[in-house]
DNA sequence: TAGATTGTTAATCGATTAACAATC
DNA sequence: TAGATTGTTAATCGATTAACAATC
C-alpha cells in the first residue's frame, strides 16, 4: 500500500528525474545535426555513469540501440516525449495568486511539458476577478465546483504554508489527483493522490549549507 | 574528488531535504504551545519512519533527547536553523528577468532561509535599468564585475536553457560558488562550485506520468 | 517499577557501478 | 576481422528500516 514512494508508473524516481535532462540534451544535439549518439557520449557530457544512461534509455526506448553506432537521436527524443506524456496535455488550476503564483500563471514553459494552467483561485477578494495574462483569478468558493465540472486533475499550490493543507483538501475534494506543492510543508493526502513537492527551501538550505561549510573549511585552512 | 554528489557538509542529501520540513512542522507545533515532542509523533504526522526521524535529529541536535519525554521543540527549531544557516544571510544575484525571474525577485520568502537577492541581470536592454520592487535590473555587461566587487557567492539562473551554460560560466567568473539553476539543463562547473537544480520539468513530468498511468489503469479496469 | 522513548548496531532494500558476453 | 558499444547479470554502495539494550 506504500508503493508510490519510489516508483511512478514502474520507473524509479531517479530515472524520471534524469529523463527531462536527457530530453533537453538530445534536442540540442539534434539541432546540431547529430544523427546517432552512444551512451558513453551522453554520460560524458552529462557527467553520469554510462551504464546508468543505458539503463535509463532501456526503460523508455521502443527500439534497441545498435552496438558500435549507438542510438538514433530523433528516436530517443520521441521515445522520451512519448514516455513522459509531453503530447497529452493536462489542465491544471493554481491556488494562491501571490508573486510566485502569478509568475507561474504567466510562465509559458509548462505547456512544453504537457501541463496547461487554465485558471487560478485566491482567497483575497481584491485579487479575485483579476486576470493574469489570459487567465482568470477566481474566488476560492468556486474551487471544488469548477475543478469537478472542468474535469481538472492537477492542482498547483502556491499559498503560504499555513493554508496549504486546507487548500490541498479542497483540491482533492474537487477531484484533483496530482498536486504540485510549493509550500514548504508536508501534505496529507489520500492514497490515490500524488504530491510533488517543489521545495525551494530545500535548495536554498543546500546552497547556504554548502557556502557555510566551504567558508568554514577555507577559514580553517588559512588559519584565520 | 567526486565527493559533493551525495553529501553536503557531512550530511546526506535526503536528510538535508527533510530538515526544512521538520523545521516548518516544529514551528507550527511550537505555535500551538507544544513544549516536548517525540520522534514517533513527528514520524506519524509527517509519514516518515521514526528511526529516520531520530537519525536526522541526531545529525543536527546539540543536546540529546530524553527517553520518555522526547525532544524540546524550541531547541530542535534552533538547532535546525543553526545547522541550515538561516541566520547568516547570503547575498545572491539573479540572471534572467523573465516572468519566473521577476517572480523570484519579488518573492519575500527567501530571506527567511538566509538568502537575499540583491539585484538582477538581463541581456535585454529594454529590461535593464528597470526595477522590480526595490531591485535593479542591470545589463549583463556588469555581471562579473559587480559580483566580484560585492563579494556575492550565490547566482540564480532563470534564463532559457540555451543561454544557461554561458550565464553559468560568467557567474563562476564573477566568483559565484553556488548556483541555483532553474533551466532544465545540466550545467558544467568547476569542482568548487555547487549547482542546485530546481528542475520544474521533472516535477511536471512526474505529475503527467502519474496521471497517465492511473488513467491507463482505470481504463483497463473498466474495460474501456 | 513499568513502559515509552532514546541512540545505535545489524538487516534489508534500492539504486549505482563494475564486469562481461553478445553483436554490429 | 577487431573493437566499440550494447544489454544484462553480479558486486558495491548508500539509505532506510528493524531489532534491541540503555535510560528516564
Amino acid at each position: 500500500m506504500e508503493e508510490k514512494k519510489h516508483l511512478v508508473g514502474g520507473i524509479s524516481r531517479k530515472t524520471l528525474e534524469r529523463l527531462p535532462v536527457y530530453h533537453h540534451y538530445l534536442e540540442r544535439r539534434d539541432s546540431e545535426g547529430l544523427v546517432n549518439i552512444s551512451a558513453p557520449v551522453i554520460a560524458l557530457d552529462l557527467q553520469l555513469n554510462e551504464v546508468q544512461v543505458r539503463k535509463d534509455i532501456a526503460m523508455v526506448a521502443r527500439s534497441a540501440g545498435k552496438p558500435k553506432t549507438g542510438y538514433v537521436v530523433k528516436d530517443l527524443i520521441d521515445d522520451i516525449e512519448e514516455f513522459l506524456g509531453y503530447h497529452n496535455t493536462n489542465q491544471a488550476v493554481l491556488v494562491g495568486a501571490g508573486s510566485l503564483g502569478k509568475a507561474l500563471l504567466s510562465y509559458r514553459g509548462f505547456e512544453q511539458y504537457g501541463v496547461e494552467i487554465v485558471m487560478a483561485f485566491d482567497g483575497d477578494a481584491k485579487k479575485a476577478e483579476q486576470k493574469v495574462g489570459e487567465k482568470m483569478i477566481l474566488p476560492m468558493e468556486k474551487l471544488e465546483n469548477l475543478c469537478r465540472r472542468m474535469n481538472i486533475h492537477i492542482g498547483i499550490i502556491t499559498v503560504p504554508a499555513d493554508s496549504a493543507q486546507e487548500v490541498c483538501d479542497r483540491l482533492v475534494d474537487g477531484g484533483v489527483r496530482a498536486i504540485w506543492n510549493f509550500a514548504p510543508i508536508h501534505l496529507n493526502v489520500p492514497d490515490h493522490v500524488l504530491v510533488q513537492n517543489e521545495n525551494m527551501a530545500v535548495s536554498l538550505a543546500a546552497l547556504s549549507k554548502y557556502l557555510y561549510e566551504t567558508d568554514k573549511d577555507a577559514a580553517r585552512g588559512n588559519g584565520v
Side-chain angles (χ1 to χ4, degrees), chain A:
Chain A
M1 280 294 112
E2 262 287 357
E3 219 67 330
K4 69 185 180 189
K5 245 161 63 177
H6 296 291
L7 298 179
V8 178
I11 196 169
S12 95
R13 186 51 194 267
K14 291 304 187 72
T15 297
L16 198 58
E17 287 183 14
R18 286 187 293 265
L19 288 176
V21 178
Y22 295 137
H23 181 261
H24 189 273
Y25 169 79
L26 292 167
E27 290 244 285
R28 185 162 65 74
R29 300 311 304 265
D30 180 50
S31 78
E32 291 165 10
L34 192 72
V35 176
N36 291 293
I37 197 161
S38 73
V41 169
I42 298 174
L44 186 72
D45 287 344
L46 300 182
Q47 295 174 5
L48 296 170
N49 178 287
E50 68 168 85
V51 179
Q52 188 167 65
V53 172
R54 241 178 259 127
K55 286 198 169 174
D56 287 342
I57 289 174
M59 295 297 294
V60 303
R62 280 166 296 187
S63 54
K66 281 209 196 84
K68 186 94 176 162
T69 49
Y71 308 88
V72 179
V73 176
K74 277 189 194 301
D75 287 358
L76 234 36
I77 292 173
D78 285 349
D79 289 345
I80 293 174
E81 289 183 355
E82 173 70 24
F83 187 88
L84 293 179
Y86 281 4
H87 302 310
N88 31 328
T89 298
N90 284 292
Q91 293 191 323
V93 298
L94 180 144
V95 187
S99 60
L100 182 62
K102 279 183 181 162
L104 297 182
L105 272 180
S106 59
Y107 190 56
R108 323 250 94 208
F110 300 144
E111 285 161 38
Q112 178 190 351
Y113 303 112
V115 173
E116 183 201 2
I117 307 177
V118 291
M119 58 195 171
F121 296 92
D122 198 292
D124 183 343
K126 285 196 296 291
K127 275 181 199 155
E129 308 302 339
Q130 283 180 16
K131 269 188 158 187
V132 171
E134 288 302 291
K135 289 149 191 169
M136 289 293 294
I137 302 178
L138 301 164
M140 285 297 288
E141 294 78 54
K142 307 196 175 173
L143 193 152
E144 293 91 332
N145 210 307
L146 268 172
C147 286
R148 280 224 174 277
R149 269 172 39 205
M150 296 184 68
N151 202 31
I152 284 169
H153 294 148
I154 298 182
I156 304 173
I157 296 181
T158 50
V159 298
D162 304 332
S163 40
Q165 181 65 58
E166 191 210 324
V167 164
C168 173
D169 294 342
R170 296 184 61 175
L171 284 166
V172 172
D173 278 350
V176 159
R177 302 206 317 270
I179 287 176
W180 196 13
N181 174 38
F182 284 78
I185 187 183
H186 171 85
L187 295 174
N188 284 301
V189 292
D191 262 10
H192 70 281
V193 176
L194 178 75
V195 174
Q196 188 65 34
N197 292 302
E198 195 70 46
N199 202 333
M200 308 229 192
V202 168
S203 305
L204 286 173
L207 292 181
S208 298
K209 190 68 197 155
Y210 175 75
L211 288 177
Y212 177 68
E213 292 294 326
T214 50
D215 286 350
K216 213 172 55 183
D217 291 350
R220 222 187 274 122
N222 296 336
V224 174

